[in-house]
Amino acid sequence: MDLIEFFVTIGYSIILMYLLLEVEIKRNKGVYIMGLTMILLLVCGGFVWLSLGFQSFMILYPLFVQVPLFIGFWFISKYKGIKLLFVLLTVIVLSSPPILIGHIVSANFGYNDVIVSVVCLVMYLPMTFIVYKYFRPLFRYMLRNTKKGWAMFCMIPLSYNAFTYLLGRYDLELVREEPILWLDTSVAILVIAAYVLILRFFKQTREQLIMQNEQNILAMQVSTLQARSETLKESEEKTILYRHDLRHHLHLINGYVADNKLAELKKYITEIEKSIDDTVTIKYCDNNAVNLILSPYINRAKREKIVVESQVYIPKECEVSDMDLCIILSNAIENAINACMNIKDTNNRRINISCKSKNDKLLIQVSNNFMGEVIFLEDMPISAEENHGFGTKSIAATVQKYNGLCSFSVGSGVFKARVIL
């Protein structure tokens, strides 16, 4: 019966590891290494079992069972190192309830080994269902979304496993003592409750941060659209004023011509052309919305003595909405302008805008020179200044709507923002 219970327990532990981990079998070689490693250590364990007895084997149980599990899943798990260790320690914790329940039930019948084994085997099925249905979603959510602090997380299950080992969990005679059994059960309940609370708190905190981030991005998008609307309104008002003042300009020009003041006439016409350029929407491509978006930002860049190169080929009809184009281009170019303005040498201020449509995909790249250092967090550039850094997040959120791709990179003093929609 001990042998049957042992193999069922091993199978239960493997199932829990598989449920909690994200297994990815890329090559058969990894499976073979996993199998050979586990078989080798289990054979060694079997030798100890036959030579020294089941009691001695149980004392060395972590070496001959838990270590092979860790090594085996190393080759097929998406997560390695400290995360894999945390999963293994968690599986050991989740393996405790069926065993403890088996001992508690058996205690009422004078500690019958058969009853312990039968109850354990019966409890594995509902325990597996509970882990799969309720524990696994929160646990995997935490694995996916947390990159730091795993050493601290490991302290909870590691402390429990050290406690149970020193308490005598693997000593079958000692664990039957009622005070130890109830103490072990109480600690197990507390540890599992701590797991549930931590996982739920983590998910709620993460969701609140995501919601706050989405609100900030939405506010940034609204601000961008408002700024664009005000720019268009200002441009329209200037156009009306220039039309109104056209008669006065012509009158003054006639005066310069009559007095043969050609130098003053040329200067005056140049000033008029310069002021009119700020109100004209330049045609960069066939898409009118893109022209309306690019014109004011490129004019602003030129006023800041920034050299702007543009290669824009976006068709008149585009699957990406005008609003989303505005969010992506406005934020990318505005960030580029702000970065260039920090360069003292105006000869080194340069922005390159590239937009083209290819194979039903829209490709956008905005690159600019910069000074200093760009800090990245999870492949996203971040700003140390308060209320800054939402532009790139807004771009990423907009790209996500189209299941597209965006990337931000630096190299040789040039920052590049790339978008594929």
Side-chain angles (χ1 to χ4, degrees), residues 253-299:
I253 288 172
N254 284 329
Y256 283 134
V257 172
D259 296 338
N260 198 28
K261 295 181 178 179
L262 298 181
E264 289 85 349
L265 175 61
K266 185 177 179 181
K267 181 180 178 182
Y268 186 71
I269 292 175
T270 301
E271 290 177 355
I272 293 175
E273 288 177 343
K274 183 179 178 181
S275 61
I276 290 176
D277 284 342
D278 292 337
T279 66
V280 173
T281 298
I282 302 173
K283 184 178 180 180
Y284 294 96
C285 64
D286 294 332
N287 190 294
N288 188 51
V290 173
N291 295 330
L292 289 170
I293 295 165
L294 293 179
S295 293
Y297 283 102
I298 292 179
N299 286 335

Side-chain angles (χ1 to χ4, degrees), residues 312-325:
V312 184
Y313 308 99
I314 299 180
K316 185 176 181 180
E317 300 297 330
C318 182
E319 293 184 1
V320 182
S321 71
D322 293 348
M323 183 184 75
D324 292 331
L325 283 173

Side-chain angles (χ1 to χ4, degrees), residues 319-338:
E319 293 184 1
V320 182
S321 71
D322 293 348
M323 183 184 75
D324 292 331
L325 283 173
C326 179
I327 290 168
I328 294 171
L329 290 171
S330 297
N331 282 298
I333 299 173
E334 185 172 42
N335 288 344
I337 292 172
N338 292 337

